[in-house]
Amino acid sequence: MTRFEVVRDPLWDNIRLDPEALAVVDTPAVQRLRYVRQLGHAFLVYPGATHSRFEHALGAYHLARRALAQLEDASDVRLDAADRIRLKLAALLHDIGHYPFSHSLEEAGLPHHEELAARHLADGQLAQRLAELGTPGQRLLPLIQCRAREPLAGLVSGSLDVDKLDYLSRDAWMCGVPYGVIDVDRLLTSLTLAPGRDGHPTLALHEKGLAALESLLFAKYQMYRNVYWHHAVRSATSMFKRLVRRAIAAGRVRPDAVAVATDDGLIHELMQQDGTGLARSLRERRLAKRALDLPATELPADTPSWPSDDPDLLERVEDRLARDVGLAPGELFLDFPAKAAMLALDLPLVQRDGTVTQLGAAEAAAYLGLPRVAAELYRSAQRLRVFVLGEARVEAKRVVELVMMPREAVRALVSGEG
């Protein structure tokens, strides 16, 4: 008799764990995800946002299971048992390498969590269980790292993957906000296969799912604007990044240990011999306040990327600005998060007459209204902020001019004490 278990979930009700999921879910690597919050410091703003990567992993597995069943029922695909198991396990384990506190540490300059997945899939009890299932970790890694070129790879990583369907729905539900509501059922029943840009079959959407797809894109925009980039969440994130960078620089924590830590384990470690005081401030929710808060719509469109992708340069700029406004190093934080592909699409659309159109940047505008205004929506969600610990007056014009300078010019400025 086939053995399975049913887990009760507040979002999807019953999640059935088949034998392959049961074989890996109780390994230490997967159980660690119970103690890694999905939304990092968002619980300091939305008290219900304490849900974990473990819950999200189960949700992604559940949606992958439903999507595969729908595609097979519609006779769009025929999978052998091994491929079906591999795709479901990739969905279950897609966040296996995730750091504590959401994406903060990737912003702080540590490797992306997809890169760290290899460490968990290649060694330890999880790797052993996967090998016993005939699905070794190296066969899951391309799916998790968005390198796979097989037809259903888009279920695990793509414009319409189960990761997005679960996290947008779950985050909105747990935060208690109405912004992330998505017609998941309609999207799942609209999935099919069609030729991609390279001519090979790939995950696609029937035309009947267009309205649901547009609602997903708008939900994503709303969640970034109201939850993920909420000013207090970004203040806590900025403080946490500086705290961890200082601890690593001082040798108090090691990056490889941080990568396998839990939220509470890491913050406990950081509170030991914390010369910055940031760990206790975060623990007690004494957050840096806004001295500047501007929407990106008030900035030129071609903003340089260094504030979001060069944490070393950003820290040097912050400390120079702090000194100039009478604060100590580590008491001012410049925050300008970026997610350029927030509203991007790249999947085929199958029209009612069978014609296939690629939903890319230009093509999408003919079928969806949102892509026509995607750039402005993104810019209205993105904000340039300066947070300070203490009283300080920050001149907006100067900060905007600085942020608009090219990377090399800023590097020369802070190096030459200009």
Side-chain angles (χ1 to χ4, degrees):
M1 184 170 66
T2 301
R3 177 173 172 260
F4 67 89
E5 290 186 10
V6 174
V7 175
R8 297 286 298 196
D9 181 70
L11 183 62
W12 307 122
D13 195 11
N14 292 325
I15 293 179
R16 171 174 163 152
L17 298 180
D18 290 327
E20 70 276 0
L22 291 174
V24 303
V25 80
D26 283 335
T27 60
V30 178
Q31 288 296 308
R32 180 185 74 94
L33 299 180
R34 287 185 184 271
Y35 311 103
V36 176
R37 293 187 191 92
Q38 175 77 8
L39 291 186
H41 289 97
F43 73 96
L44 296 176
V45 179
Y46 300 97
T50 56
H51 54 300
S52 69
R53 292 275 161 190
F54 182 78
E55 296 163 61
H56 168 56
L58 294 185
Y61 170 83
H62 169 72
L63 293 179
R65 198 172 174 278
R66 284 179 58 185
L68 290 171
Q70 183 275 322
L71 286 164
E72 290 191 298
D73 287 347
S75 300
D76 289 336
V77 296
R78 283 286 177 266
L79 295 172
D80 61 31
D83 282 337
R84 195 180 302 114
I85 288 173
R86 186 169 54 85
L87 284 160
K88 289 190 292 183
L89 286 178
L92 177 65
L93 300 174
H94 76 281
D95 272 349
I96 195 66
H98 223 291
Y99 294 101
F101 293 100
S102 194
H103 293 275
S104 305
L105 297 179
E106 294 170 341
E107 292 184 31
L110 274 65
H112 281 248
H113 71 274
E114 292 90 350
E115 297 176 40
L116 301 182
R119 172 178 178 177
H120 296 278
L121 296 176
D123 194 21
Q125 196 177 120
L126 175 58
Q128 181 182 340
R129 294 283 174 82
L130 290 171
E132 291 167 357
L133 289 169
T135 312
Q138 60 264 31
R139 295 196 64 209
L140 302 182
L141 210 54
L143 287 164
I144 292 171
Q145 295 181 339
C146 198
R147 293 186 287 106
R149 292 294 176 263
E150 57 191 271
L152 293 180
L155 277 180
V156 181
S157 183
S159 295
L160 201 52
D161 57 40
V162 293
D163 175 30
K164 291 182 187 65
L165 295 181
D166 184 84
Y167 83 66
L168 288 170
S169 303
R170 188 175 301 277
D171 293 351
W173 178 266
M174 299 305 291
C175 288
V177 299
Y179 309 123
V181 179
I182 303 166
D183 192 348
V184 172
D185 288 341
R186 186 65 164 178
L187 285 170
L188 291 180
T189 57
S190 301
L191 294 178
T192 185
L193 289 185
R197 294 185 185 279
D198 60 0
H200 293 100
T202 189
L203 193 69
L205 187 75
H206 278 297
E207 187 177 351
K208 64 182 180 180
L210 276 175
L213 175 63
E214 193 152 45
S215 78
L216 180 147
L217 293 174
F218 193 66
K220 196 174 183 184
Y221 155 73
Q222 288 275 34
M223 288 298 287
Y224 269 92
R225 179 166 184 166
N226 295 288
V227 177
Y228 307 145
W229 287 350
H230 185 283
H231 66 89
V233 175
R234 292 307 304 176
S235 173
T237 299
S238 297
M239 294 169 66
F240 181 70
K241 289 190 294 184
R242 175 60 69 100
L243 171 63
V244 174
R245 284 175 59 85
R246 287 287 177 88
I248 290 174
R252 291 196 301 274
V253 297
R254 303 187 326 275
D256 60 337
V258 168
V260 293
T262 62
D263 282 17
D264 286 344
L266 179 57
I267 203 68
H268 175 78
E269 186 75 18
L270 292 169
M271 288 184 72
Q272 312 303 310
Q273 302 176 327
D274 173 31
T276 69
L278 292 172
R280 186 161 297 280
S281 293
L282 284 168
R283 194 71 165 179
E284 298 172 359
R285 203 190 182 278
R286 290 182 282 110
L287 305 180
K289 303 303 181 185
R290 285 173 289 177
L292 178 68
D293 190 342
L294 296 173
T297 48
E298 296 185 15
L299 307 178
D302 55 344
T303 311
S305 63
W306 65 262
S308 64
D309 66 15
D310 195 336
D312 294 333
L313 180 58
L314 179 65
E315 184 172 317
R316 295 169 68 192
V317 168
E318 289 173 340
D319 288 347
R320 277 293 307 279
L321 285 173
R323 186 189 72 184
D324 291 351
V325 299
L327 296 174
E331 291 186 341
L332 180 147
F333 310 99
L334 176 66
D335 186 58
F336 195 38
K339 182 78 172 177
M342 179 192 293
L343 302 176
L345 282 175
D346 187 16
L347 77 164
L349 173 71
V350 180
Q351 299 178 58
R352 297 186 188 281
D353 63 0
T355 305
V356 177
T357 303
Q358 302 301 322
L359 283 182
E363 302 93 331
Y367 301 93
L368 297 165
L370 199 65
R372 301 174 197 172
V373 293
E376 287 307 304
L377 285 176
Y378 172 61
R379 279 159 54 78
S380 68
Q382 190 184 27
R383 302 188 76 90
L384 171 63
R385 296 180 175 118
V386 174
F387 301 106
V388 293
L389 294 168
E391 295 296 324
R393 181 178 178 277
V394 175
E395 186 182 345
K397 182 174 182 290
R398 183 182 175 212
V399 174
V400 171
E401 289 175 349
L402 180 64
V403 167
M404 291 307 302
M405 291 174 63
R407 187 187 313 261
E408 291 306 318
V410 176
R411 189 173 287 127
L413 186 65
V414 294
S415 300
E417 297 293 308

